[in-house]
Structure formats: C-alpha cells, structure tokens
Amino acid sequence: MKKTVVVSLLVMSFSALGFSASAHAQGFYIGASYLGAETEWMGEREYDAGLEARLGYSFNSLLAIEATYLDLGTVTLPDFVDAGGSADTDAYSLAAVATIPLGNLNFFGKAGYLRTETDGVFGTIAGPRQSNIKQDEMFIGGGIGFEIFDTFELRLELNKSDDFDWAG
C-alpha cells in the first residue's frame, strides 16, 4: 500500500510540477526525489537507494513547511548459518524550511521532526524473529534549488539525524 501511494505521488508530481514547485510562489507544492540513504539496523550500516515524496506550503519566498514520506531503503545482515536477515526503513517528517532566493538559485535550510519505522526479519538458531523499531528524532538539512520554470525546480538536498543520513 505504501509503495502504491509513493508511485501515485511520483506520477502526479512528474506530470504536474516536476520535482518541486518554485519556492518563490506562495501556496502548496509537491515534489519527489530519488534518494541515497545511509541506515543502520542491528549494528549494520548500509547505503541504499530510496524515494521521497513531499507536500509543502510556502508562506512567502522565505518560509515554508513540508511534510515528507521517505523510503530509506533496506539493510541486509550478513548471512551466517541460521542467521542473517534484512530490514526496510520508512520515515515521515515535518519540517520548517527557510529559503534565501538569489535569482534562479534558492539556498535553503530545514529543521524538523523525523519519525522512522524499521521492519525486519532476522534469523536465529531458534528460528526467524520479527523486529519493529520506531524512532522519533530531530533532523537538519539543507541544499540548493535551481528554478527552470516558474513552477519547476530541481533540488540537491542533504539531511542528517542521529541515526539516518539521506541525500536527494
């Protein structure tokens, strides 16, 4: 179900506005990103690809608020006899975004709340075990956007929390 929602948001964003609407306009905007993410589960850190879908509201050219769904990818444990496993991490965030517009370039910083949920299965001698870890934490990020049209902006963005790093 989650993947269907993400695909629907991606299709809508590409057909309607592209990656992200202009930060200079007041009102709602949507966006999508292809991510590179670093996640950790049971002591293993991995880089993986993921997706991001965002809905935002720009109060003016300087301040906005964004709600985001993130698919941060999968962490795979090394395979041992009767062991191994993998976990998938999804996240939701709510952030304030401050922008400094300079012509077609928009430099932005963001800070907010990140809710992550990591669902995994790992093997033990006694058989497979389920793992469901939910975390709440703060994150910060920033990046640069380049306006191609009034309603189309390409963004490069880096974000960091205590347990997760992602770029889109």
Side-chain angles (χ1 to χ4, degrees):
M1 176 64 180
K2 289 180 189 177
K3 304 237 187 235
T4 304
V5 171
V6 170
V7 170
S8 298
L9 287 172
L10 285 171
V11 170
M12 287 188 317
S13 67
F14 284 118
S15 63
L17 297 176
F19 286 97
S20 177
S22 168
H24 289 284
Q26 180 179 352
F28 287 98
Y29 61 92
I30 59 174
S33 297
Y34 179 75
L35 301 177
E38 179 184 34
T39 58
E40 181 176 351
W41 181 63
M42 297 183 70
E44 287 292 319
R45 290 184 81 76
E46 276 192 20
Y47 292 94
D48 199 2
L51 299 173
E52 175 183 27
R54 88 178 60 82
L55 173 64
Y57 182 81
S58 184
F59 298 102
N60 53 40
S61 64
L62 303 175
L63 185 62
I65 189 166
E66 286 183 356
T68 306
Y69 165 77
L70 301 151
D71 176 355
L72 295 173
T74 302
V75 174
T76 304
L77 295 177
D79 285 327
F80 300 110
V81 177
D82 293 326
S86 65
D88 186 51
T89 301
D90 295 321
Y92 304 91
S93 73
L94 184 61
V97 182
T99 303
I100 299 172
L102 297 173
N104 286 351
L105 292 178
N106 296 314
F107 296 92
F108 63 91
K110 62 195 309 190
Y113 164 81
L114 180 69
R115 169 78 173 190
T116 60
E117 185 172 340
T118 303
D119 292 318
V121 176
F122 60 98
T124 66
I125 293 174
R129 300 283 184 221
Q130 298 278 335
S131 170
N132 183 291
I133 301 168
K134 295 180 182 176
Q135 292 178 250
D136 298 313
E137 55 188 321
M138 302 301 290
F139 78 96
I140 59 170
I144 185 170
F146 180 73
E147 289 184 20
I148 296 177
F149 305 111
D150 287 339
T151 59
F152 188 82
E153 178 182 62
L154 292 177
R155 280 165 71 160
L156 176 61
E157 181 174 337
L158 302 171
N159 297 284
K160 179 162 184 51
S161 70
D162 286 341
D163 295 313
F164 300 95
D165 300 332
W166 68 97

